[in-house]
């Protein structure tokens, strides 16, 4: 092709409107069997999380969709970063005045969704959220970058702002008060939530939409049973 024959963006035919009904991906053939699972959901999550972080090439493998509902059952969802997990639960941090925190104060039941799309995997955690202790919150806050510490003070999360300039001015004032290298105190209205899992589902995409869905369900004695769900 000669250079003059090349099609430029200006010459290209306008793209047709995207039709979501015809968008399809063929998922992986290998599946997830009961015999593949770890003894506990946290152990299994650790396996998949490690793979998502190393093999999956995901932008933020610890990103999860946190879904809450208020006292009247009105739901809301947002993406939050997981900061710790162990047998006691899954931990994230937020402003206690935010919508999610207000929902959890009224209704502690929560769902966490890890959408690892490039790997055709999802993990869904359902359970009860409780605030982390002050010492645990302070220990995590100290690990945050200086700018993120200031941001926790500058933003009254979920409240209405007149302009972006209002937020920037608040941050600039804090940056002057607590310059780089100076310890920033933990905001009194900021902290963590630990979600104690009652059920954890591991979803693996399969061919022909016959996905594997294996769910750990907590027993009253602290052990777990595993059930297979129809896709």
């Amino acid at each position: 092709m000669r250079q003059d024959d090349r099609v430029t963006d200006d010459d290209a035919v306008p793209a047709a409107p995207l039709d979501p009904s015809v968008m399809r991906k063929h998922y992986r053939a290998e599946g997830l069997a009961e015999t593949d699972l770890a003894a506990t959901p946290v152990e299994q999550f650790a396996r998949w999380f490690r793979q998502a972080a190393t093999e999956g090439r995901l932008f933020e493998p610890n990103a999860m969709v946190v879904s809450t509902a208020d006292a009247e059952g009105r739901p809301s969802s947002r993406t939050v970063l997981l900061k710790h997990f162990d047998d006691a639960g899954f931990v994230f941090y937020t402003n206690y005045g935010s919508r999610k925190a207000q929902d959890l104060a009224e209704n502690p039941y929560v769902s966490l969704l890890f959408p690892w799309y490039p790997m055709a995997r999802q993990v869904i955690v359902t359970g009860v959220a409780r605030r982390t202790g002050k010492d645990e919150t302070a220990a995590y806050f100290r690990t945050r970058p200086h700018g993120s510490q200031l941001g926790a003070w500058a933003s009254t999360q979920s409240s209405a702002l007149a302009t972006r300039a209002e937020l920037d001015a608040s941050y600039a004032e804090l940056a002057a008060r607590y310059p780089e290298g100076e310890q920033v105190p933990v905001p009194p209205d900021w902290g963590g939530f630990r979600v104690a899992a009652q059920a954890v589902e591991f979803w693996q995409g399969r061919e022909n939409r016959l996905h594997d869905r294996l769910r750990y369900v907590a027993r009253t004695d602290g052990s777990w049973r595993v059930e297979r769900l129809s896709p």
Side-chain angles (χ1 to χ4, degrees), residues 41-42 45 64-69 86-90 92 104 107-114 122-130 194-202 213-219 224-225 227 229:
V42 172
F45 180 84
M64 58 185 182
V65 179
V66 177
S67 297
T68 58
D86 56 24
D87 290 332
F90 299 77
F92 65 90
L104 292 173
N107 178 359
Y109 293 99
V110 62
S111 174
L112 313 177
L113 168 64
F114 294 86
Q122 299 179 82
V123 180
I124 304 169
V125 179
T126 53
V128 177
R130 295 285 184 265
R194 172 173 283 100
V195 178
Q198 296 177 329
V200 184
E201 178 184 332
F202 293 85
R213 298 175 60 190
L214 297 180
R215 181 169 64 186
Y216 292 80
V217 180
R219 295 190 177 103
W224 299 88
R225 64 180 174 86
E227 58 187 13
L229 304 178

Side-chain angles (χ1 to χ4, degrees), residues 57-114:
R57 299 180 180 178
L58 303 183
F59 173 60
E60 286 185 317
N62 61 327
M64 58 185 182
V65 179
V66 177
S67 297
T68 58
D70 63 17
E72 298 180 10
R74 293 172 295 195
S76 61
S77 299
R78 74 290 292 162
T79 301
V80 178
L81 297 180
L82 175 73
K83 288 302 177 181
H84 180 73
F85 68 91
D86 56 24
D87 290 332
F90 299 77
V91 178
F92 65 90
Y93 291 86
T94 187
N95 187 300
Y96 286 143
S98 65
R99 178 174 178 176
K100 71 178 83 62
Q102 291 177 5
D103 282 356
L104 292 173
E106 299 173 351
N107 178 359
Y109 293 99
V110 62
S111 174
L112 313 177
L113 168 64
F114 294 86

Side-chain angles (χ1 to χ4, degrees), residues 44-52 116 121 123 202-203:
Q44 182 63 33
F45 180 84
R47 289 181 186 176
W48 272 23
F49 183 72
R50 187 178 303 109
Q51 292 175 350
W116 296 331
R121 286 179 174 177
V123 180
F202 293 85
W203 185 103

Side-chain angles (χ1 to χ4, degrees), residues 60 62 64 80-85 91-96 132-150 152 184-187 190-194:
E60 286 185 317
N62 61 327
M64 58 185 182
V80 178
L81 297 180
L82 175 73
K83 288 302 177 181
H84 180 73
F85 68 91
V91 178
F92 65 90
Y93 291 86
T94 187
N95 187 300
Y96 286 143
T132 58
K134 290 184 178 180
D135 290 344
E136 182 177 359
T137 293
Y140 168 70
F141 188 78
R142 298 286 174 244
T143 70
R144 288 167 64 94
H146 180 73
S148 296
Q149 292 180 359
L150 297 179
V184 181
V186 181
W190 186 94
F193 281 99
R194 172 173 283 100

